[in-house]
């Protein structure tokens, strides 16, 4: 470390305000910095030499000074030697420099040399936006590397905000302490940054910009202050179901139509149905779709031939652009499981038996999605000694044995062995539930789809087989009673109940 001063580990508060903001002014920034100091902050990040000067009179914490050139087309944070001089003369202990791979008026190396040769003990914080830039700036040996500009350069706009992964990537390649900065809004994010290897965390607007804080709370309540409605769509290979709910979760309207045979016609029909039921009070839209969904961006990552050319369809993006609504997209079984949860309010496993085996898992009131939304694909667990080819491309998936289609076929072809077929089926279904139980510790199991048509004796048999597998298997297995609108209903409710998780 070149600086004679060192930042402690902890929270750094960024006290900044633009000219058009209510708290603009150096005296206001000094008061914010003082409030941060008495609340336990370990450092202050400040914009402009004037702000640094006023803050230095008010607090004893280390100050990271910066300037911003809004006219610059490339790098814009502390990009000239004169900027550095002004910040140092005002009392900055550290200077943060834009070290992104963008054009700049003065070479980055010259800025570092100017500090080293002119200001002994002045610390350097290197603001970068990706791993490549971090690798380059390591050669200049800054005192700290900060992830400040991830998401703010044209080539990092699609990275997660805040960029927690970038922290993990940098700490693997250098011993230079990493400061987490950029889009840290919630305490849990700051905590996770430290767990990912960050030395300290910078939080700005979430603490020092009241207008941002107010807007965040306002957004959370304004679209539910008055009576509103929500639309839920369930897109299946055979039918499309749509419902409209009021804020009390009561069904206002519903419709079921056949699913068209081409991607273009499917999308057209979805728009027609949405146009029919949407109104000025519609605030949310949930879409349950067959196939596998990347729940982060609502893109279909796998779909069967029942939905032709559906892979790659960016449903969330398409619908949000067309209707300017908050749109939540997930697998149909996930939303059906949530519909079941709304009745039971318990951790549960939901299984739907049809052409294949669909499943949704609800834990602590939340859908278990996994990284890309593939969690709950229990139909593709391999059953021992099973070599049947599956539509997913693997051999041996248990849904090739437990699908409603396979059960019906076996019963039709072996009419005199129905008891044996049901016994074998129940044993395999119990095995599957037991496997999931030992992975996800649920409280109840619900089975829907075609299975309830076979009567109570079958669900009783599955319960018996399940409990015979282990003494700890005490959960009850029920037929689901949520009905054919479960996916659409769950989508509609989830879209507004879990909206805050998308903030």
């Amino acid at each position: 470390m070149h600086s004679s001063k060192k930042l402690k580990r902890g929270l750094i508060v960024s006290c900044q305000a633009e000219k058009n903001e209510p708290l603009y002014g150096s005296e206001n920034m000094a008061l914010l910095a003082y409030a941060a100091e008495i609340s336990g902050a370990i450092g202050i990040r400040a914009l402009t030499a004037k702000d640094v000067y006023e803050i230095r009179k008010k607090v004893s914490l280390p100050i990271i000074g910066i300037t911003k050139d809004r006219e610059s087309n490339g790098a814009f944070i502390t990009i000239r030697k004169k900027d550095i001089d002004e910040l140092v003369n005002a009392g900055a202990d550290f200077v943060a420099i834009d070290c992104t791979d963008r054009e700049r008026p003065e070479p980055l190396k010259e800025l570092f040399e100017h500090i080293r040769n002119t200001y002994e003990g002045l610390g350097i914080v290197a603001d970068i936006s990706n791993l490549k830039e971090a690798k380059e700036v390591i050669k200049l040996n800054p005192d700290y590397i900060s992830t400040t500009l991830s998401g703010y350069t044209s080539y990092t706009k699609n990275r997660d905000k805040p960029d927690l992964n970038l922290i993990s990537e940098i700490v693997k390649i250098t011993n230079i302490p990493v400061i987490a900065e950029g889009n840290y809004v919630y305490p849990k994010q700051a905590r996770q940054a430290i767990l990912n290897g960050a030395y300290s965390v910078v939080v700005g607007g979430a603490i020092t910009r009241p207008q941002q804080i107010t807007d965040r709370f306002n957004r959370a309540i304004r679209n539910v202050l008055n009576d509103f409605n929500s639309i839920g769509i369930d897109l299946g290979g055979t039918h499309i179901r749509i419902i409209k709910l009021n804020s009390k979760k009561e069904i206002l309207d519903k419709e079921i139509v056949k699913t068209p045979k081409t991607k273009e016609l499917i999308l057209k029909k979805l728009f027609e149905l949405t146009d029919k039921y949407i109104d000025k009070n519609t605030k949310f839209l949930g879409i349950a779709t067959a196939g596998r969904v990347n729940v982060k961006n609502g893109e279909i990552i796998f779909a069967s031939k029942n939905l032709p050319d559906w892979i790659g369809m960016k449903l969330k993006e398409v619908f949000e652009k067309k209707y300017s609504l908050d749109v939540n997209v997930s697998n149909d079984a996930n939303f059906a499981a949530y519909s079941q949860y709304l009745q039971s309010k318990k951790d549960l496993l939901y299984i739907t038996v049809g052409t294949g085996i669909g499943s949704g898992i609800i834990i602590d009131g939340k859908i278990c999605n996994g990284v890309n939304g593939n969690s709950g694909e229990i139909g593709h667990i391999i059953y021992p000694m099973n070599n049947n080819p599956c539509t997913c491309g693997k051999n041996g998936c248990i849904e090739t044995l437990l699908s409603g289609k396979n059960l019906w076929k076996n019963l039709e072809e072996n009419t005199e062995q129905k008891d044996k077929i049901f016994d074998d089926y129940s044993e395999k279904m119990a095995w599957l539930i037991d496997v999931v139980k030992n992975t996800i510790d649920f409280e109840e199991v619900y089975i829907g789809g075609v299975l309830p048509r076979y009567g109570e004796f079958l669900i009783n048999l599955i319960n018996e087989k399940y409990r015979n597998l282990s003494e700890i298997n005490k959960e009850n297995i029920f037929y689901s009673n949520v009905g054919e609108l479960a996916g659409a209903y769950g989508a509609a409710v989830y879209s507004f109940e879990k909206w805050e998780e998308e903030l």
Side-chain angles (χ1 to χ4, degrees):
M1 178 167 291
H2 295 274
S3 171
S4 59
K5 298 181 179 180
K6 182 180 179 181
L7 291 166
K8 295 180 180 178
R9 301 197 69 190
L11 174 66
I12 299 168
V13 176
S14 179
C15 300
Q16 300 182 39
E18 303 295 335
K19 289 183 178 180
N20 62 338
E21 296 181 22
L23 292 185
Y24 178 73
S26 298
E27 291 184 0
N28 291 333
M29 293 302 102
L31 290 173
L32 286 173
Y34 177 63
E37 181 177 38
I38 64 176
S39 300
I42 59 91
I44 302 295
R45 181 164 165 132
L47 172 64
T48 79
K50 187 176 180 181
D51 285 5
V52 170
Y53 179 77
E54 292 297 330
I55 291 171
R56 172 52 65 222
K57 291 192 297 183
K58 201 75 176 176
V59 305
S60 60
L61 295 176
I63 300 173
I64 303 170
I66 67 169
T67 63
K68 291 182 180 179
D69 185 348
R70 297 299 187 185
E71 303 299 319
S72 174
N73 293 322
F76 69 98
I77 297 177
T78 322
I79 54 178
R80 296 178 178 85
K81 290 187 280 290
K82 71 177 185 64
D83 300 331
I84 296 170
D85 296 338
E86 291 174 358
L87 293 168
V88 174
N89 291 332
D93 304 289
F94 298 84
V95 172
I97 299 174
D98 189 325
C99 297
T100 57
D101 187 20
R102 297 181 289 184
E103 64 179 56
R104 59 186 65 248
E106 297 178 15
L108 189 59
K109 186 177 180 181
E110 285 187 13
L111 299 183
F112 273 70
E113 290 176 348
H114 177 66
I115 292 174
R116 302 288 191 230
N117 297 331
T118 311
Y119 302 108
E120 183 178 355
L122 180 67
I124 301 176
V125 177
D127 289 349
I128 54 88
S129 70
N130 62 17
L131 185 62
K132 178 184 176 184
E133 292 166 352
K135 290 178 179 179
E136 287 300 312
V137 83
I138 286 171
K139 301 172 185 177
L140 298 176
N141 198 21
D143 296 285
Y144 299 92
I145 296 174
S146 179
T147 60
T148 309
L149 293 166
S150 176
Y152 293 98
T153 57
S154 60
Y155 42 89
T156 61
K157 286 183 178 179
N158 294 326
R159 289 188 70 101
D160 290 339
K161 298 179 181 62
D163 199 342
L164 293 164
N165 288 333
L166 182 55
I167 299 167
S168 303
E169 292 170 350
I170 297 173
V171 297
K172 290 178 182 178
I173 63 170
T174 183
N175 292 323
I176 297 174
V178 177
I179 296 174
E181 183 176 7
N183 296 291
Y184 283 87
V185 176
Y186 303 109
K188 66 180 181 180
Q189 295 171 334
R191 176 183 173 86
Q192 190 58 53
I194 296 295
L195 293 174
N196 278 31
Y199 182 82
S200 295
V201 182
V202 175
V203 179
I207 294 176
T208 61
R209 282 186 162 100
Q211 69 275 18
Q212 289 185 10
I213 301 168
T214 302
D215 180 65
R216 191 160 62 251
F217 279 90
N218 189 38
R219 284 190 297 116
I221 67 174
R222 65 188 175 200
N223 52 13
V224 294
L225 278 173
N226 302 312
D227 192 38
F228 67 90
N229 63 63
S230 176
I231 291 175
I233 299 173
D234 184 359
L235 171 61
T238 306
H239 291 97
I240 298 174
R241 298 169 175 85
I242 184 168
I243 63 171
K244 184 175 181 178
L245 305 181
N246 62 20
S247 57
K248 297 178 182 178
K249 306 175 190 176
E250 298 167 336
I251 298 177
L252 301 175
D253 217 333
K254 61 185 178 180
E255 186 173 347
I256 302 175
V257 301
K258 288 188 176 181
T259 304
K261 299 300 182 183
T262 68
K263 179 179 75 172
E264 292 73 21
L265 290 177
I266 290 173
L267 201 56
K268 181 181 178 182
K269 179 57 70 174
L270 291 176
F271 288 154
E272 287 177 358
L273 289 168
T274 304
D275 290 341
K276 181 177 179 180
Y277 291 101
I278 197 171
D279 61 37
K280 64 179 182 179
N281 291 325
T282 304
K283 304 298 183 183
F284 305 95
L285 174 64
I287 303 176
T289 177
R292 300 186 187 183
V293 182
N294 183 330
V295 294
K296 293 180 180 179
N297 60 17
E299 181 178 353
I300 310 303
I301 55 180
F302 176 80
S304 68
K305 294 179 181 179
N306 289 332
L307 295 177
D309 303 316
W310 205 237
I311 297 175
M313 173 60 70
K314 298 180 179 180
L315 272 181
K316 180 179 175 68
E317 179 181 315
V318 168
F319 272 79
E320 286 188 339
K321 183 177 181 180
K322 183 172 176 63
Y323 295 106
S324 299
L325 290 175
D326 293 293
V327 178
N328 201 308
V329 182
S330 190
N331 171 265
D332 50 1
N334 283 340
F335 279 140
Y338 191 72
S339 188
Q340 186 70 65
Y341 166 79
L342 292 170
Q343 293 188 18
S344 72
K345 295 296 183 180
K346 293 183 179 179
D347 293 348
L348 62 87
L349 167 66
Y350 174 88
I351 302 173
T352 178
V353 180
T355 306
I357 295 291
S359 166
I361 299 168
I362 309 295
I363 300 295
D364 295 332
K366 299 179 182 179
I367 295 173
C368 291
N369 288 308
V371 176
N372 294 316
N374 288 332
S375 181
E377 292 290 341
I378 68 172
H380 299 287
I381 294 174
I382 302 298
Y383 186 76
M385 307 301 290
N386 176 28
N387 295 314
N388 294 335
C390 182
T391 56
C392 74
K394 298 192 299 185
N395 290 331
C397 294
I398 196 164
E399 76 167 33
T400 64
L401 302 174
L402 292 182
S403 70
K405 180 180 179 180
N406 190 66
L407 176 59
W408 178 83
K409 181 181 178 182
N410 286 339
L411 290 171
E412 286 292 307
E413 294 177 354
N414 303 278
T415 55
E416 296 180 358
Q417 301 183 48
K418 287 186 178 181
D419 289 344
K420 183 178 183 305
I421 291 171
F422 282 127
D423 192 76
D424 181 67
Y425 185 92
S426 299
E427 192 169 272
K428 289 180 172 62
M429 179 63 78
W431 176 90
L432 176 61
I433 295 170
D434 181 67
V435 169
V436 181
K437 170 64 178 177
N438 285 292
T439 306
I440 304 293
D441 193 14
F442 45 75
E443 294 178 82
E444 294 178 340
V445 181
Y446 291 87
I447 302 178
V450 301
L451 224 57
R453 300 176 187 174
Y454 293 98
E456 288 298 315
F457 91 94
L458 182 54
I459 199 70
N460 292 335
L461 189 57
I462 294 172
N463 271 288
E464 179 186 331
K465 298 288 187 181
Y466 174 67
R467 293 193 177 94
N468 287 341
L469 286 173
S470 172
E471 292 183 359
I472 66 171
N473 288 346
K474 307 296 184 183
E475 297 76 31
N476 290 316
I477 304 171
F478 307 95
Y479 279 142
S480 174
N481 59 354
V482 291
E484 64 176 340
L485 293 175
Y489 188 88
V493 177
Y494 196 88
S495 67
F496 64 81
E497 282 200 341
K498 299 302 178 181
W499 176 82
E500 64 174 331
E501 295 177 7
E502 308 302 322
L503 287 176

